[in-house]
C-alpha cells in the first residue's frame, strides 16, 4: 500500500500554489470567486479543469487583480443570480459607477466583458481607462433577454495604476448585469506613458501578489492544519499490520460517531401506519409513515414484489435533492426496477423533501423556503449550536427506516442494501457505515454539503466514517461528464485500504464511471442492479431494465395533503432542536468553571506561547485632522492582520484607545460615516483591524449580500467550509478571531505613545462576540462596545426563522456551555450594547434587549436606531 500516495491524493493543495499554477493572466470582477473544492451544493456543480477560463463559480484559484473587488461608487449592487454573481444597477438607478486601479504591469491587454442581456433595450456599460473610453457593451444588441454573452476590446494600452471605471447607463428596464471582466496580456505597451503614481488607498494589499497573499491566508492556515491531520492518519494507518489492528481502528472510529454527528435520540416506538396501496401485476406499492422520533413523521413508499417466494432481500433507497423526494421519477424508476428484480424497496422522504417540507406558512400552508437544499441549509446551521447536525438527523431517520424494514416479515434481514444518489448517495454511504445491518451499498455521486457537515469538520471525518463500511461491498457510480470521478475515487481508495487491512479483496470497494452527468439515469441504475445482484446471489435477474411507468407524485402520498405538517402536525427539525436546547443548556454557575468551559468549547487556548509580534508600516495618509497609518501585525504564524491606526490631531486627554473589529472589515476608503472615523473625530485613537478571513484577508473578494438566508452560494460556502473544518484541529473561527483582537491589544500596549491608556474593544456585528470574549480572557480590556450584535443564540434555535450571517452558527455545541448573555455576565468591564439584534436581524426594543441580555451596573443598552447617535454614550468610558 502506498501511503504517501494516499496522502497526496487526499490532502488539499495549498491555495497559493493553485493561484500561481494558472497559465494565463486573468483579471476578474468579484463574481468570478474562487472556491477550494468541488462544491456539491446539490452536487449539481461540476469541477472545471484548471486550464480553462474560469466561470462565475470556477472550481479553481484565479490570481486576483484590481477588479477583484471594485468600489461600487454609485447606483450599483452585487447580486447572486442563476448560480452566478453580477454587478447591476440598483432599483430606481439610471446611472452607476464602479472603479478601481490597475495593478498589473504596463502593457497591451485584451479586455473581455462578460454580461447578461436582461433587457432588449439599449442600455450601455462603458469601460473607461483613465476616463477615456476603451469600449462599451450595448445590451439591446442581443437577440433575446436573459442570454449570456461577452465582448472583447483588443490590444488596449493600459499603464500600471491606471484608473478603471465601469459606467452604467440605463435605458428602459434593464439592470445592466456585468458578470466579469478579464484582462489578458497581448504585448508591449506602445503608447505614451503618463508615469502614473500609486493612488492613495486604505487597502494595504495593492499588488496582485499582495492580494493573493491576503486572499489565500486563511485558506492556507486552515488547510495546512487539516493536511497535517490527514498526514497523521495516513502515518497511523501505515503502522497497522494485522486485521485485528485494522478492526481496532474501526472500533475507535465507531466509538466517536456521536462526536461526529451529535448524540443520537433514543429508540422509541415507530408507530407505523399504512395509508393505502397501489397494486400492479408484478409489484405493490404501500403508502406509509412512521415516527423516527416521537411526533417526527417520516413518509415512505414500500415496493413489494408479487409472486416471489420470501423472505426477500431489501433496499433502503435514499433520495437526492429533489423536491418530490421519493416520488421523483428517477427514484421511482429505480425503486420499481429493483422491485421487478425481486427486492423489497423502502423509499423515504428526507426532511425538507416530498411530504416533509418543514417551513410552511401556518395560515396558507404554503412552503416558505423553496427547495430541499435551502431547507437543509436552513435547519443544518442552528443544529450545530445544539451539538447536532443535519447528517445526524438524516442518519437517524435512516436507522429507523432500517428498523421498519427488519420488522416486516417479507424481508430477509440478512440481505439489506442501501442505494441513493447525490445527497442520497451520501446518506447511503453514511447509513451503511453507521448501521451494520446494511450489507451492500451502491451510491451515485455521493455529496451534499450539509449532509457531509460534521461537528469536527468535513472531508477528514468523511474518510473516517466511510472506513467503517469495510469489508462490506460498496460501489460508487459516477457519470463521466459530471467531472466528479477524481474526488470520489479518493474515498474508494481509502476504503480499499481497510478492505486489504482486514484481509479482504480491496475491490469489494469500487468506483464505476459510466456515461452521463450527475443523476440516477440508466445506465447508472444498471450498475446498481448489477452490484446488488452480484452480492445477493441474484445474477439471474440480470442488470437490464424494462420500460417502466411511474406514478404521479400525488398517487404516492402517504398523507392526504401531501404534507405531514398539514395532515399530521407533529415535530419539525427546528422544534426538535428547541427541545434539545432545553436538555443541554446547563452553563456552570461557578464563574471560573464557566470561563474554562467556554474557552474549551470554542478552542481558545490561553497557555500557548505567543509568537513574536512582528509589525510593518505601509505609510501614513492624512484625512482632514486625522492621520491614518496603514500597518500589519502578525497574530500567529501565517496570520497577518491588516490594520489602520487612526489618530486625531487633538486627542482627548485621558481617553481610551479603541480597537475596532467588524464582520465587514475595516474601512477601505475615507468615509465620514464609518464608525472608526466617527470615533476619531470625537478625539479617540482607533486601531481598525481585519481579523483573519475578513476584509482584505477574506478568501473571496466580498461576501454575498444575502437576501435569502437559506441560499447555498459558493461564495458563502467558501467561508462556511473553513469555519466548519476548523474545530477539527481544535479551534473555532470565533476563537481565532478573538485571538486576533487580543493580539491587537498586544500591539497597542507595545506602543510607547499609548502607555497608560485604557483599551476599549468595539465590535461591530459578529465582532461584538469577539469583543466580549476578548474582555473576558484579557484583563487589559477596560470596556466593550457591541454594535448590531445578536443578543442570544437561543433566538436562532427557539424561533422558526432567522436572518443573521451564517458565521454565528459554526460553534459546535455552543449552548451546551454558554449563551451570549452569559458572555455579558462574565464581562465585568463596562459594556455598551448598541442596537442588539434579534434572530431576524432586527433591532430589539430596550425592554426586549434587557430581558434577554440582562441588566446590571456594567451593562448599558442603547436602542437609538442610529449608531452615530449611540456613540454619544461613549462618554461612559472617559
Amino acid at each position: 500500500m502506498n501511503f504517501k500516495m494516499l496522502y497526496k491524493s487526499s490532502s488539499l493543495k495549498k491555495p497559493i500554489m493553485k493561484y500561481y499554477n494558472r497559465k494565463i493572466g486573468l483579471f476578474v470582477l468579484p463574481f468570478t470567486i474562487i472556491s477550494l473544492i468541488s462544491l456539491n451544493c446539490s452536487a449539481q456543480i461540476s469541477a472545471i479543469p484548471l486550464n480553462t477560463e474560469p466561470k462565475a463559480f470556477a472550481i479553481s484559484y484565479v490570481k486576483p487583480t484590481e477588479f477583484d473587488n471594485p468600489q461600487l461608487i454609485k447606483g450599483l449592487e452585487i447580486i447572486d443570480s442563476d448560480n452566478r454573481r453580477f454587478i447591476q444597477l440598483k432599483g430606481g438607478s439610471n446611472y452607476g459607477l464602479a472603479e478601481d486601479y490597475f495593478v498589473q504591469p504596463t502593457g497591451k491587454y485584451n479586455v473581455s466583458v462578460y454580461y447578461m442581456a436582461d433587457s432588449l433595450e439599449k442600455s450601455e456599460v462603458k469601460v473607461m481607462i483613465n476616463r477615456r473610453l476603451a469600449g462599451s457593451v450595448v445590451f439591446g444588441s442581443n437577440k433575446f433577454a436573459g442570454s449570456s454573452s461577452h465582448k472583447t476590446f483588443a490590444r488596449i494600452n493600459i499603464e500600471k495604476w491606471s484608473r478603471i471605471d465601469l459606467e452604467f447607463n440605463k435605458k428602459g428596464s434593464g439592470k445592466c448585469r456585468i458578470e466579469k471582466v478579464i484582462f489578458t496580456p497581448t504585448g508591449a505597451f506602445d503608447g505614451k506613458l503618463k508615469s502614473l503614481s500609486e493612488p492613495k488607498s486604505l487597502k494595504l494589499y495593492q499588488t496582485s501578489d499582495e492580494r493573493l497573499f491576503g486572499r489565500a491566508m486563511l485558506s492556507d492556515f486552515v488547510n495546512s492544519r487539516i493536511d497535517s491531520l490527514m498526514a497523521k492518519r495516513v502515518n497511523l494507518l501505515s503502522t497497522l499490520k494485522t486485521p485485528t489492528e485494522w478492526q481496532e481502528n474501526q472500533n475507535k472510529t465507531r466509538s466517536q460517531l456521536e462526536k461526529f454527528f451529535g448524540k443520537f435520540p433514543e429508540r422509541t416506538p415507530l408507530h407505523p401506519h399504512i395509508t393505502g396501496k397501489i397494486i400492479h401485476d408484478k409489484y405493490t406499492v404501500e403508502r406509509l409513515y412512521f415516527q423516527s422520533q416521537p411526533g417526527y413523521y417520516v413518509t415512505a413508499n414500500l415496493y413489494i414484489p408479487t409472486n416471489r417466494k420470501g423472505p426477500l432481500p431489501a433496499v433502503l433507497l435514499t433520495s437526492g435533492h429533489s423536491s418530490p423526494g421519493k416520488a421523483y421519477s428517477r427514484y421511482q424508476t429505480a425503486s420499481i426496477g429493483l422491485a421487478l428484480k425481486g427486492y423489497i424497496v423502502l423509499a423515504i422522504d428526507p426532511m425538507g423533501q416530498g411530504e416533509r417540507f418543514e417551513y410552511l406558512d401556518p395560515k396558507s400552508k404554503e412552503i416558505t423556503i423553496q427547495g430541499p437544499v435551502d431547507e437543509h441549509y436552513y435547519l443544518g446551521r442552528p443544529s450545530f449550536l445544539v451539538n447536532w447536525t443535519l447528517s445526524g438527523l438524516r442518519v437517524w431517520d435512516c436507522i429507523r427506516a432500517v428498523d421498519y424494514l427488519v420488522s416486516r416479515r417479507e424481508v430477509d434481514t440478512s440481505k439489506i442494501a442501501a442505494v441513493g444518489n447525490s445527497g442520497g448517495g451520501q446518506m447511503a454511504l453514511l447509513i451503511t457505515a453507521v448501521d451494520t445491518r446494511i450489507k451492500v451499498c451502491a451510491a451515485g455521486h455521493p455529496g451534499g454539503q450539509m449532509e457531509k457537515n460534521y461537528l469536527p469538520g468535513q472531508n477528514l471525518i468523511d474518510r473516517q466514517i466511510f472506513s467503517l463500511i469495510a469489508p462490506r461491498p460498496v460501489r460508487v457510480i459516477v457519470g463521466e461528464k459530471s467531472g466528479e470521478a477524481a474526488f470520489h475515487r479518493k474515498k474508494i481508495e481509502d476504503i480499499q485500504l481497510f478492505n486489504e487491512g482486514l484481509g479482504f479483496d480491496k475491490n469489494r470497494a469500487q468506483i464505476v464511471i459510466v456515461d452521463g452527468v450527475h443523476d440516477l439515469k440508466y445506465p447508472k441504475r444498471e450498475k446498481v442492479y448489477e452490484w446488488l445482484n452480484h452480492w445477493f446471489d441474484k445474477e439471474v435477474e440480470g442488470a437490464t431494465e424494462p420500460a417502466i411507468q411511474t406514478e404521479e407524485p400525488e398517487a404516492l402520498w402517504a398523507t392526504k395533503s401531501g404534507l405531514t405538517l398539514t395532515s399530521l402536525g407533529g415535530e419539525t427539525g427546528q422544534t426538535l432542536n428547541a427541545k434539545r436546547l432545553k436538555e443541554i443548556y446547563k452553563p456552570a454557575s461557578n464563574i471560573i468553571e464557566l470561563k474554562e468551559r467556554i474557552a474549551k468549547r470554542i478552542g481558545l487556548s490561553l497557555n500557548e506561547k505567543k509568537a513574536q509580534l512582528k509589525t510593518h508600516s505601509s505609510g501614513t495618509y492624512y484625512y482632514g485632522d486625522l492621520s491614518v497609518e496603514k500597518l500589519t501585525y502578525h497574530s500567529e504564524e501565517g496570520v497577518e492582520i491588516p490594520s489602520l491606526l487612526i489618530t486625531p490631531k487633538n486627542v482627548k486627554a485621558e481617553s481610551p484607545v479603541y480597537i475596532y473589529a467588524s464582520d465587514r472589515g475595516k474601512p477601505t476608503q475615507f468615509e465620514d460615516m464609518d464608525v472608526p472615523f466617527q470615533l476619531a473625530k470625537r478625539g479617540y485613537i482607533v486601531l481598525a483591524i481585519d481579523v483573519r478571513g475578513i476584509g482584505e484577508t477574506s478568501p473571496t473578494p466580498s461576501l454575498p449580500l444575502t437576501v435569502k438566508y437559506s441560499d447555498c452560494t459558493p461564495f458563502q460556502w467558501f467561508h462556511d467550509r473553513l469555519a466548519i473544518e476548523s474545530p477539527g484541529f481544535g479551534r473555532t473561527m470565533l476563537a481565532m478571531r478573538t485571538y486576533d483582537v487580543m493580539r491587537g491589544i498586544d500591539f497597542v500596549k507595545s506602543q510607547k505613545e499609548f502607555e497608560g491608556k485604557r483599551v476599549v474593544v468595539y465590535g461591530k456585528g459578529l465582532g461584538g462576540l469577539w469583543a466580549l470574549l476578548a474582555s473576558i480572557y484579557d484583563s487589559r480590556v477596560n470596556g466593550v462596545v457591541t454594535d448590531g450584535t445578536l443578543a442570544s443564540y437561543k433566538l436562532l434555535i427557539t424561533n422558526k426563522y432567522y436572518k443573521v450571517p451564517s458565521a454565528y452558527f459554526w460553534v459546535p455545541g455552543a449552548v451546551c456551555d454558554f449563551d451570549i448573555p452569559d458572555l455579558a455576565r462574565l464581562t465585568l468591564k463596562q459594556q455598551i450594547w448598541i442596537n442588539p439584534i434579534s434572530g431576524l436581524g432586527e433591532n430589539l426594543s430596550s425592554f426586549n434587549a434587557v430581558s434577554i441580555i440582562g441588566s446590571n451596573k456594567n451593562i448599558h443598552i442603547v436602542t437609538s436606531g442610529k449608531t452615530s447617535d449611540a456613540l454619544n454614550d461613549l462618554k461612559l468610558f472617559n
Side-chain angles (χ1 to χ4, degrees):
M1 291 178 283
N2 190 334
F3 290 95
K4 289 185 178 179
M5 287 303 295
L6 171 65
Y7 172 59
K8 287 181 180 178
S9 70
S10 64
S11 62
L12 300 168
K13 303 300 182 185
K14 296 229 178 218
I16 196 165
M17 294 305 297
K18 284 196 176 180
Y19 271 110
Y20 282 121
N21 283 340
R22 303 270 319 166
K23 301 298 184 184
I24 51 178
L26 297 180
F27 188 121
V28 292
L29 281 163
F31 349 95
T32 52
I33 307 299
I34 57 178
S35 183
L36 181 64
I37 58 175
S38 182
L39 296 169
N40 290 321
C41 243
S42 45
Q44 298 293 326
I45 302 173
S46 301
I48 297 174
L50 277 178
N51 290 327
T52 63
E53 179 186 305
K55 296 183 179 179
F57 290 143
I59 314 304
S60 61
Y61 284 85
V62 180
K63 188 173 181 179
T65 56
E66 66 268 29
F67 250 72
D68 252 342
N69 197 7
Q71 299 290 340
L72 304 187
I73 303 300
K74 183 178 181 180
L76 298 174
E77 62 184 356
I78 297 174
I79 63 117
D80 296 331
S81 175
D82 191 27
N83 284 341
R84 286 179 288 175
R85 170 161 285 192
F86 299 91
I87 285 179
Q88 69 174 22
L89 285 165
K90 291 180 180 178
S93 296
N94 294 316
Y95 175 81
L97 177 65
E99 70 173 32
D100 216 324
Y101 290 87
F102 195 75
V103 299
Q104 293 294 90
T106 297
K108 277 188 180 294
Y109 290 82
N110 285 349
V111 184
S112 299
V113 181
Y114 290 73
Y115 61 97
M116 176 177 283
D118 62 343
S119 172
L120 297 181
E121 295 153 314
K122 295 186 180 298
S123 297
E124 181 181 30
V125 173
K126 297 178 180 179
V127 180
M128 310 290 291
I129 300 176
N130 294 325
R131 296 178 173 80
R132 296 185 65 180
L133 181 67
S136 65
V137 172
V138 180
F139 285 79
S141 60
N142 287 76
K143 294 181 181 179
F144 57 92
S147 62
S148 296
S149 190
H150 75 276
K151 187 172 183 179
T152 298
F153 315 122
R155 300 182 60 78
I156 304 296
N157 282 315
I158 309 179
E159 186 177 351
K160 185 175 183 178
W161 304 125
S162 291
R163 175 174 162 175
I164 310 292
D165 289 336
L166 293 183
E167 288 189 2
F168 293 65
N169 294 280
K170 176 180 177 180
K171 293 181 180 179
S173 59
K175 292 284 190 179
C176 301
R177 289 183 175 174
I178 300 295
E179 181 183 354
K180 58 186 175 182
V181 177
I182 296 178
F183 289 65
T184 306
T186 60
F189 188 96
D190 62 6
K192 184 178 180 181
L193 292 171
K194 297 181 179 179
S195 299
L196 300 172
S197 58
E198 180 179 351
K200 289 184 178 181
S201 170
L202 292 183
K203 294 180 181 178
L204 278 81
Y205 299 143
Q206 292 290 307
T207 69
S208 294
D209 288 346
E210 289 171 345
R211 293 186 182 190
L212 167 61
F213 169 77
R215 184 74 45 81
M217 188 179 73
L218 180 62
S219 301
D220 280 354
F221 185 87
V222 172
N223 293 336
S224 66
R225 281 148 182 79
I226 299 300
D227 278 353
S228 178
L229 294 175
M230 284 277 197
K232 286 180 180 179
R233 179 172 182 266
V234 169
N235 291 336
L236 173 63
L237 296 183
S238 70
T239 67
L240 305 181
K241 305 300 181 185
T242 68
T244 299
E245 289 175 341
W246 284 88
Q247 192 171 49
E248 287 174 351
N249 182 276
Q250 285 183 311
N251 291 340
K252 182 177 179 181
T253 296
R254 194 169 293 281
S255 71
Q256 295 178 299
L257 288 180
E258 290 195 345
K259 175 184 175 183
F260 300 155
F261 292 109
K263 184 176 176 59
F264 288 115
E266 294 182 8
R267 267 190 169 90
T268 51
L270 289 169
H271 297 302
H273 187 70
I274 298 170
T275 63
K277 296 182 180 181
I278 304 173
I279 300 174
H280 293 279
D281 290 341
K282 295 183 179 180
Y283 66 94
T284 296
V285 186
E286 292 184 356
R287 302 185 293 264
L288 62 96
Y289 58 80
F290 59 85
Q291 298 178 41
S292 65
Q293 299 181 57
Y296 195 52
Y297 294 97
V298 179
T299 44
N301 295 137
L302 187 70
Y303 294 78
I304 306 173
T306 55
N307 302 318
R308 297 272 187 165
K309 184 178 179 181
L312 300 174
V315 176
L316 172 63
L317 190 136
T318 51
S319 301
H321 290 112
S322 62
S323 291
K326 65 184 182 312
Y328 181 49
S329 60
R330 288 172 192 161
Y331 301 140
Q332 278 195 61
T333 303
S335 298
I336 296 168
L338 287 164
L340 294 175
K341 296 184 185 303
Y343 295 92
I344 293 172
V345 181
L346 182 65
I348 65 173
D349 279 329
M351 62 73 53
Q353 295 175 242
E355 298 180 73
R356 298 182 68 201
F357 281 95
E358 296 192 356
Y359 291 90
L360 307 176
D361 183 275
K363 293 182 179 179
S364 68
K365 304 301 181 183
E366 292 183 357
I367 297 169
T368 53
I369 292 180
Q370 299 295 327
V373 174
D374 283 11
E375 282 221 11
H376 290 182
Y377 270 76
Y378 205 73
L379 175 60
R381 292 190 191 109
S383 297
F384 256 61
L385 294 172
V386 293
N387 216 36
W388 190 226
T389 58
L390 181 84
S391 58
L393 178 69
R394 290 195 62 184
V395 164
W396 186 248
D397 282 351
C398 289
I399 289 173
R400 301 316 312 275
V402 177
D403 287 347
Y404 179 74
L405 272 176
V406 301
S407 75
R408 296 288 298 233
R409 59 180 178 79
E410 305 97 323
V411 170
D412 182 346
T413 58
S414 69
K415 294 181 178 179
I416 301 178
V419 173
N421 183 66
S422 190
Q426 178 75 4
M427 295 315 303
L429 292 177
L430 290 178
I431 186 58
T432 303
V434 172
D435 195 327
T436 57
R437 295 174 295 179
I438 303 291
K439 304 305 181 184
V440 180
C441 179
H445 306 93
Q449 288 169 340
M450 289 307 293
E451 282 77 9
K452 60 180 288 188
N453 275 2
Y454 312 104
L455 297 170
Q458 267 214 331
N459 290 330
L460 174 61
I461 311 302
D462 242 19
R463 299 288 178 85
Q464 291 177 267
I465 294 173
F466 293 160
S467 74
L468 300 178
I469 295 174
R472 289 169 290 159
V474 57
R475 172 181 275 183
V476 169
I477 305 159
V478 181
E480 182 180 19
K481 295 181 179 65
S482 71
E484 300 171 23
F487 181 67
H488 296 306
R489 184 171 283 112
K490 297 171 187 176
K491 303 173 184 177
I492 291 299
E493 290 172 352
D494 198 87
I495 298 172
Q496 287 176 338
L497 287 176
F498 278 81
N499 284 340
E500 291 183 310
L502 292 166
F504 291 82
D505 181 358
K506 74 174 185 178
N507 289 320
R508 292 168 73 91
Q510 60 178 242
I511 182 170
V512 177
I513 311 300
V514 298
D515 184 47
V517 292
H518 185 102
D519 55 36
L520 197 57
K521 285 183 177 179
Y522 198 83
K524 293 161 193 169
R525 296 192 298 272
E526 176 188 36
K527 295 302 180 182
V528 172
Y529 305 144
E530 177 186 88
W531 189 246
L532 270 58
N533 288 343
H534 172 72
W535 292 103
F536 287 155
D537 299 321
K538 290 172 65 68
E539 283 95 340
V540 68
E541 300 288 347
T544 59
E545 182 183 85
I548 290 175
Q549 182 66 43
T550 60
E551 312 284 350
E552 290 297 320
E554 292 85 351
L556 297 173
W557 287 353
T559 60
K560 290 182 179 180
S561 67
L563 291 170
T564 57
L565 289 182
T566 300
S567 296
L568 304 173
E571 303 283 359
T572 66
Q574 180 265 317
T575 62
L576 291 174
N577 278 344
K579 288 185 175 181
R580 186 174 285 233
L581 168 66
K582 291 181 179 180
E583 296 172 2
I584 66 174
Y585 176 61
K586 297 175 182 177
S589 55
N590 179 279
I591 288 180
I592 295 175
E593 182 185 353
L594 179 58
K595 288 177 65 174
E596 290 174 351
R597 284 175 55 179
I598 293 171
K600 183 178 180 181
R601 175 64 60 181
I602 67 174
L604 181 64
S605 177
L606 305 174
N607 299 321
E608 290 183 8
K609 185 178 179 181
K610 292 181 179 179
Q612 182 182 356
L613 188 70
K614 299 177 183 177
T615 61
H616 175 74
S617 177
S618 299
T620 300
Y621 296 116
Y622 294 90
Y623 179 55
D625 290 336
L626 307 179
S627 69
V628 183
E629 182 183 5
K630 301 196 298 184
L631 59 90
T632 61
Y633 63 85
H634 282 256
S635 183
E636 57 184 310
E637 184 179 356
V639 178
E640 183 176 273
I641 306 300
S643 309
L644 300 176
L645 184 60
I646 308 171
T647 306
K649 183 176 181 181
N650 298 309
V651 178
K652 275 189 176 182
E654 307 299 324
S655 65
V657 175
Y658 279 84
I659 296 177
Y660 176 83
S662 167
D663 54 15
R664 292 287 180 175
K666 60 174 176 49
T668 57
Q669 55 187 334
F670 296 104
E671 289 284 354
D672 288 341
M673 294 308 295
D674 279 349
V675 169
F677 291 118
Q678 289 192 53
L679 291 173
K681 288 183 176 182
R682 284 172 164 79
Y684 301 115
I685 299 168
V686 182
L687 179 69
I689 66 176
D690 282 341
V691 297
R692 70 188 76 189
I694 299 291
E696 292 191 70
T697 65
S698 169
T700 60
S702 61
L703 285 175
L705 305 179
T706 312
V707 176
K708 285 176 61 184
Y709 284 83
S710 58
D711 274 348
C712 160
T713 69
F715 311 103
Q716 186 61 57
W717 178 246
F718 197 97
H719 293 253
D720 288 348
R721 190 202 65 83
L722 295 173
I724 291 163
E725 291 280 28
S726 296
F729 56 85
R731 300 173 71 185
T732 64
M733 200 64 69
L734 176 62
M736 290 187 281
R737 288 168 173 167
T738 297
Y739 186 77
D740 295 339
V741 172
M742 293 165 69
R743 292 294 274 165
I745 299 170
D746 288 342
F747 169 78
V748 169
K749 291 298 183 181
S750 71
Q751 304 302 299
K752 289 185 178 180
E753 60 267 36
F754 302 150
E755 190 172 346
K757 281 193 169 292
R758 291 166 298 145
V759 173
V760 174
V761 183
Y762 191 123
K764 179 80 170 176
L766 192 72
L769 300 189
W770 315 331
L772 289 168
L773 286 163
S775 71
I776 293 169
Y777 296 103
D778 195 321
S779 60
R780 298 170 298 177
V781 176
N782 301 103
V784 177
V785 182
T786 69
D787 185 349
T789 302
L790 179 69
S792 170
Y793 285 138
K794 292 180 182 178
L795 299 173
L796 306 177
I797 301 164
T798 58
N799 296 308
K800 192 170 185 176
Y801 298 100
Y802 59 82
K803 288 185 179 180
V804 297
S806 62
Y808 275 109
F809 296 101
W810 307 128
V811 186
V815 294
C816 293
D817 293 314
F818 73 100
D819 191 13
I820 295 171
D822 295 312
L823 302 182
R825 176 164 65 93
L826 280 178
T827 305
L828 302 178
K829 319 294 171 54
Q830 187 72 46
Q831 303 168 56
I832 298 177
W833 285 72
I834 299 175
N835 300 323
I837 62 171
S838 69
L840 291 174
E842 299 168 344
N843 291 346
L844 292 167
S845 68
S846 180
F847 175 81
N848 287 337
V850 170
S851 66
I852 295 169
I853 298 167
S855 178
N856 62 49
K857 63 179 182 179
N858 294 320
I859 298 174
H860 183 70
I861 296 175
V862 182
T863 56
S864 67
K866 290 185 178 180
T867 296
S868 56
D869 294 338
L871 293 184
N872 294 326
D873 290 87
L874 297 181
K875 60 182 181 293
L876 291 173
F877 297 125
N878 292 337

